[in-house]
Amino acid sequence: YWFADKVNNGEGSLNAVLTADISVNEGDVSGCDGNKAEGWRDWTSIGNLENQYFGTFDGQGHTVSGLYFNDEDAEYVGLFGRSSGNIKNVGVVTSYFKGSDYVGGVCGKNNEATTNCYNAGTVVATYFDPYVGGVCGANDGTVTNSYNTGNVITSNSYVGGVCGHNGNGTITNCYYLDTSETDNLDGTTFKTADQFAK
């Protein structure tokens, strides 16, 4: 929360390294269907439209779990909201993100690099034509060696198992669970649960 506050108030070039797994809220946040349990803290995405992230965030293989965000009018939603930095080596698990547009488990809008990341939480978008994906809502940078096994939910277009919209970016060696969504548009390949287990 401290780091998100710093970035969202103009210190977007800060670097960060995770040295342990972080659990924000306890319980099955990803399966909450939007219902906030007593005591849960609301998450604020790192980086937004006015103050995006430019630094390097290295998760060192750790996870961030229990993130909860539910605002159907919000844009740039995820662990990171809007990034032109380097996000790498982090997993987002048992989390729930619901926004209007640019919604992704790891990053709502990726303009630079997302590498070795994964999402195993629920991602929901409500805009009539949203960019929503398991890892990134929209990508104009690079997404590499990343995957999604969480649910991606929207009733409209631009939905991707990995990225909802791949504009001027590239997606390399990325996969999504075959049951995570039904209308994949990012060109990535699905895998079954058995294939992921291997």
Side-chain angles (χ1 to χ4, degrees):
Y1 283 83
W2 174 89
F3 185 72
D5 182 68
K6 289 289 186 181
V7 172
N8 295 343
N9 282 285
E11 296 184 52
S13 296
L14 291 175
N15 298 322
V17 174
L18 288 187
T19 58
D21 296 342
I22 294 175
S23 180
V24 176
N25 294 306
E26 299 298 327
D28 184 11
V29 179
S30 61
C32 71
D33 292 328
N35 299 310
K36 182 180 179 181
E38 184 177 354
W40 279 0
R41 298 177 67 186
D42 292 307
W43 174 242
T44 299
S45 303
I46 302 167
N48 51 43
L49 179 61
E50 294 80 16
N51 296 294
Q52 61 180 307
Y53 183 63
F54 292 99
T56 296
F57 181 95
D58 186 355
Q60 295 196 122
H62 292 291
T63 62
V64 180
S65 64
L67 298 176
Y68 175 85
F69 183 88
N70 186 354
D71 182 349
E72 63 182 19
D73 296 321
E75 295 182 323
Y76 304 103
V77 176
L79 172 62
F80 286 81
R82 188 165 182 246
S83 172
S84 289
N86 295 296
I87 306 167
K88 58 185 181 179
N89 308 322
V90 65
V92 179
V93 299
T94 59
S95 294
Y96 181 91
F97 301 106
K98 182 178 183 179
S100 171
D101 199 6
Y102 296 103
V103 185
V106 177
C107 185
K109 174 70 184 297
N110 175 59
N111 294 316
E112 187 62 33
T114 298
T115 310
N116 299 332
C117 295
Y118 66 91
N119 172 62
T122 297
V123 180
V124 184
T126 61
Y127 187 60
F128 74 92
D129 206 11
Y131 295 152
V132 54
V135 177
C136 295
N139 174 50
D140 282 321
T142 62
V143 181
T144 309
N145 301 337
S146 299
Y147 68 89
N148 171 59
T149 59
N151 291 325
V152 181
I153 302 170
T154 181
S155 60
N156 301 291
S157 60
Y158 296 110
V159 56
V162 175
C163 293
H165 177 70
N166 187 38
N168 297 314
T170 58
I171 303 174
T172 306
N173 194 35
C174 293
Y175 303 91
Y176 66 96
L177 184 64
D178 61 342
T179 57
S180 63
E181 57 78 42
T182 58
D183 189 25
N184 188 64
L185 295 175
D186 63 12
T188 54
T189 303
F190 71 79
K191 289 190 175 188
T192 65
D194 288 341
Q195 288 174 316
F196 266 106
K198 296 176 181 178

